[in-house]
Amino acid sequence: MSADTDTTPGSGIPWSERLSSIFRRDLPASIVVFLVALPLSLGIAIASDAPVAAGLIAAAVGGIVVGLLGGSPLQVSGPAAGLTVIVAETIHEFGWKTTCFITMAAGLLQIVFGLSRIARAALAIAPVVVHAMLAGIGVTIALQQVHVLLGGSSRSSAFENITELPGQLLNLRGDDFVIGLIVIGSIVAWRWVPEKVRLVPGPLVAVLVGTVLSLVLPGNPERIEIDGSLFDAIGLPGLPSGNWGGVVPAVLTIALIASVESLLSAVAVDKLHTGKRTDFDRELVAQGAANMTSGMLGGLPVTGVIVRSSTNVAAGARTQASAILHGVWILVFSVALVGVVQQVPKSALAGLLIVVGVQLVKLAHIRLAHRTGDLAVYAVTMVSVVFLNLLEGVLIGLALAFAMLLWRVVKVSVQAAPVAGTDRWIVSVDGTCTFLALPKLTRELAEVPTGTDVLVELTVDFLDHAAYEALHDWARQHESLGGNVEFVEIGTARMEHAMSGPPRRGRARGMLDEVLGPWRERNGDAVAAGVAAYHRSHAHVLRPHLDELRDRQDPHSLFLTCADSRIVPNVITNSGPGDLFTVRNVGNLHPAHGSDPSAEAALTFAVDNLKVHNVAVCGHSSCGAMKALLADTSAGPGLDTWLAHARPSLDAYRAGHPVRAAAAAAGYDETAQLSMVNVAVQLDTLQRHPVIRQAVADRGLTVSGLFFDISTACVLEVTAEGISEITDQVPTPGLLTGRVRVPQFTK
């Protein structure tokens, strides 16, 4: 067979074409990747407190070994920032030789993972935990390298890095600091240079500029030190001298994190090109082989690295030859040009690593976590990684993510209530209805009187046999006692399927979901979108009631509350159109002595003309007006004039008002305490108002105080003496008893 027709085994591509592609595509790409990998490998080694040569060994091994054996055609492997923290902790605890043994053992475990064909199982880890883990690593790296940038050395913990930073600032070395700032500025500015110039990697240019300037500018910045050549740094790992109880978790931690990071990187790389997809099990075996080799030779742990891999794809690589060649260039440089490496200032690499660390905290990941309701998982995981350690942070994040998942899965809302003005009842079941919901479900069903007509609204996405039987048995018993039960199945799960086979989730609701979820986030004109949703879903329910009120209004309460958008009076009082005469202003204030005509007009009209039965003042937590009062600084010309009406509340708060003591004892912060005192002061102002006093004497008008805690969505009663919960067992006269005249309806 001739050379022109010979083919690569299994590929079907002639050798001549393959070699041509390597020279035209992979060879240039390998040089670009080498230029990116070189400074990063040096910086990661220094950040890990490992020998500098260990980063170069890991880069060469990662490129060559994974390139030859890996299952991801365009992924490039090497030492990664994601393992910096755990490697540094391992070195501090066990020493460098034992860390090499741990790296080798972790590689063996990765091979077992790959041969067991469980590689894809690692992808089941919640992405928000991985994103937060990387962010925590980035923060830790940045905190460590700031000290190096200032001419010092990193501390052993994030807490020490933070607390000792002021002292380091007072003792900074100007030459190191300037070089580091130049590197950071060069990397940041590189994104704005012409595209053709950007073919040269920005980090390499920044480190070269910093190194050259360090040689010509005054000063003597601390530089990288390498003892001998790369071959002198190669050494066999050392067995642990006892403490196997600590070695095993370290092996497991490095193996798991290196595996997850490599697999996630491979997934990301697959999205960047249209060629062959990754064989995850083979890739994991290759990563394990690389870690065994790197550990055996005295190198850092190896993972797939998205920075190098994305550079590889962008540079036009087509095969794994690019990754292999990049490893060869690292090896050649490390052997032949050690003297060049020793000219690089540590502060230059510190500047590079600070940028890398900051880039690991991605705003896109934070916004995604916020949109998906996982921001708490992100924040807790990141903080735990920074202030505890990587393993504990990830485990805490996974536990919290699982707890939130379980809560979301089993969450169900069950409510049984009469339709006002009729003998009919509505039972609403919303969420995932399983045997876990039976206590709540049976309790609410027991509240329905016998002999009544009942509408059961099922907005459920899952209905198991136990929940179905509870509903079915209750309906049969209720009808046997003279009642009538009608089921309305709005959700995706259907009762007819409950007994025909194993429980399963129903088909998605599609457009109906828009009608059932009017409070979802909207883009564009939110008001117009909300009006459109109202016309589609609720207008027909309100129309009969509003028709009765078209010529008059008969509210039962004047409701004075803050202008804050988070307070929805009809929602927190379970009332409807026509029930509340609402007055809103900043800080829910009624100025004394009639100094505000608008407030006086509203009060007089509601009490004298509309004959309301109750006047309620409602404050809330996290009130901006109360925060401004506590800050005792100018909030602006208009606001300062208005907030002057709240000065009596601030004075009462500072004088130790009884409500403040009660709120503090209940655990509320200072803003909430002042807000509650403000409600009490406004109650006192209103009770002394001539219009109110006359109405109280003539027809028993009541004045009530409320406080809405936004974080818990709970409403408390506020009096002159303190605060208390509002319960059905001890109703308070007036608004707090609830006088709902609108038929209940579901959103």
Side-chain angles (χ1 to χ4, degrees), residues 451-485:
T452 55
D453 291 342
V454 184
L455 176 67
V456 180
E457 289 184 348
L458 293 178
T459 313
V460 297
D461 56 3
F462 186 86
L463 184 71
D464 71 359
H465 300 150
Y468 166 79
E469 287 185 358
L471 287 167
H472 183 268
D473 292 345
W474 171 83
R476 183 175 56 185
Q477 181 182 13
H478 188 78
E479 290 180 339
S480 69
L481 296 176
N484 181 58
V485 180

Side-chain angles (χ1 to χ4, degrees), residues 349-683:
L349 293 179
L352 169 62
L353 286 168
I354 288 172
V355 175
V356 171
V358 171
Q359 289 176 341
L360 287 176
V361 185
K362 299 185 182 298
L363 291 178
H365 291 162
I366 297 175
R367 286 194 291 265
L368 177 62
H370 181 265
R371 287 198 305 271
T372 57
D374 294 322
L375 191 58
V377 176
Y378 185 97
V380 169
T381 304
M382 184 181 72
V383 172
S384 299
V385 167
V386 171
F387 290 102
L388 297 177
N389 59 56
L390 198 61
L391 178 59
E392 291 179 4
V394 170
L395 291 178
I396 290 172
L398 289 174
L400 182 57
F402 181 77
M404 291 187 66
L405 171 65
L406 185 62
W407 178 79
R408 289 167 177 167
V409 168
V410 303
K411 181 183 178 182
V412 63
S413 172
V414 184
Q415 293 181 339
V419 177
T422 71
D423 294 331
R424 196 179 191 196
W425 277 64
I426 292 183
V427 177
S428 300
V429 184
D430 191 356
T432 301
C433 198
T434 68
F435 66 92
L436 296 174
L438 292 184
K440 181 186 296 186
L441 180 64
T442 55
R443 181 175 64 249
E444 291 294 321
L445 292 176
E447 296 294 322
V448 180
T450 59
T452 55
D453 291 342
V454 184
L455 176 67
V456 180
E457 289 184 348
L458 293 178
T459 313
V460 297
D461 56 3
F462 186 86
L463 184 71
D464 71 359
H465 300 150
Y468 166 79
E469 287 185 358
L471 287 167
H472 183 268
D473 292 345
W474 171 83
R476 183 175 56 185
Q477 181 182 13
H478 188 78
E479 290 180 339
S480 69
L481 296 176
N484 181 58
V485 180
E486 178 184 358
F487 286 95
V488 177
E489 298 182 85
I490 304 175
T492 58
R494 294 288 180 263
M495 295 184 70
E496 62 180 316
H497 299 148
M499 300 300 291
S500 61
R504 63 181 185 273
R505 296 190 183 275
R507 186 173 55 86
R509 290 175 287 184
M511 292 184 64
L512 184 60
D513 197 43
E514 180 182 354
V515 178
L516 299 178
W519 288 353
R520 67 174 50 187
E521 179 181 351
R522 306 182 194 279
N523 296 319
D525 190 341
V527 173
V531 170
Y534 160 74
H535 283 151
R536 286 193 304 267
S537 56
H538 298 336
H540 68 286
V541 179
L542 290 174
R543 192 171 294 118
H545 175 70
L546 291 176
D547 185 62
E548 298 176 2
L549 300 174
R550 59 184 173 180
D551 297 323
R552 62 179 180 84
Q553 60 171 314
D554 181 28
H556 59 65
S557 299
L558 166 63
F559 197 84
L560 172 59
T561 191
C562 186
D564 194 290
S565 62
R566 296 167 292 181
I567 312 302
V568 187
N570 290 105
V571 171
I572 66 175
T573 61
N574 195 30
S575 55
D579 284 343
L580 302 180
F581 186 84
T582 305
V583 177
R584 307 188 73 150
N585 60 49
V586 176
N588 43 274
L589 306 175
H590 187 86
H593 312 300
S595 55
D596 184 76
S598 176
E600 286 296 306
L603 176 65
T604 302
F605 183 74
V607 176
D608 285 346
N609 293 66
L610 298 178
K611 306 294 184 183
V612 295
H613 300 280
N614 182 68
V615 175
V617 181
C618 182
H620 66 95
S621 61
S622 190
C623 180
M626 300 301 109
K627 289 180 180 178
L629 284 173
L630 284 171
D632 205 20
T633 57
S634 176
L639 280 173
D640 286 343
T641 302
W642 175 253
L643 290 179
H645 297 303
R647 282 289 168 179
S649 299
L650 183 60
D651 294 338
Y653 170 84
R654 289 173 173 169
H657 194 284
V659 170
R660 177 184 181 180
Y668 289 96
D669 60 23
E670 291 186 347
T671 302
Q673 294 171 30
L674 177 56
S675 183
M676 294 182 190
V677 171
N678 179 55
V679 171
V681 171
Q682 301 310 312
L683 290 179

Side-chain angles (χ1 to χ4, degrees), residues 122-313:
L123 302 180
I125 295 178
V128 66
V129 175
V130 178
H131 297 160
M133 176 195 75
L134 293 174
I137 291 169
V139 171
T140 303
I141 292 173
L143 289 174
Q144 290 175 342
Q145 297 306 309
V146 163
H147 286 271
V148 180
L149 182 75
L150 298 174
S153 58
S154 61
R155 307 305 191 263
S156 59
S157 69
F159 182 77
E160 291 180 356
N161 281 319
I162 293 173
T163 56
E164 297 184 21
L165 186 58
Q168 186 67 65
L169 285 169
L170 295 175
N171 296 283
L172 69 85
R173 293 180 54 178
D175 46 1
D176 287 296
F177 184 61
V178 170
I179 296 299
L181 284 185
I182 290 173
V183 170
I184 293 174
S186 301
I187 296 174
V188 173
W190 198 250
R191 69 182 67 182
W192 288 293
V193 302
E195 186 174 354
K196 291 183 178 180
V197 180
R198 286 205 305 272
L199 292 176
V200 181
L204 177 68
V205 173
V207 172
L208 285 176
V209 169
T211 302
V212 171
L213 290 176
S214 73
L215 296 173
V216 299
L217 292 177
N220 184 29
E222 189 175 356
R223 304 181 188 277
I224 294 175
E225 296 179 2
I226 298 180
D227 297 329
S229 69
L230 184 68
F231 295 112
D232 294 329
I234 294 176
L236 294 175
L239 290 174
S241 56
N243 193 21
W244 283 92
V247 170
V248 173
V251 170
L252 185 61
T253 300
I254 292 177
L256 288 176
I257 293 175
S259 299
V260 171
E261 189 169 347
S262 298
L263 295 175
L264 290 177
S265 175
V267 170
V269 173
D270 281 349
K271 295 178 181 179
L272 300 177
H273 66 91
T274 58
K276 181 182 176 183
R277 304 290 93 180
T278 297
D279 181 336
F280 291 104
D281 294 308
R282 179 177 173 180
E283 179 67 16
L284 199 53
V285 170
Q287 295 290 339
N291 274 316
M292 287 193 69
T293 306
S294 183
M296 193 176 299
L297 296 177
L300 288 170
V302 170
T303 73
V305 186
I306 189 59
V307 175
R308 303 177 200 193
S309 303
S310 59
T311 301
N312 192 39
V313 175

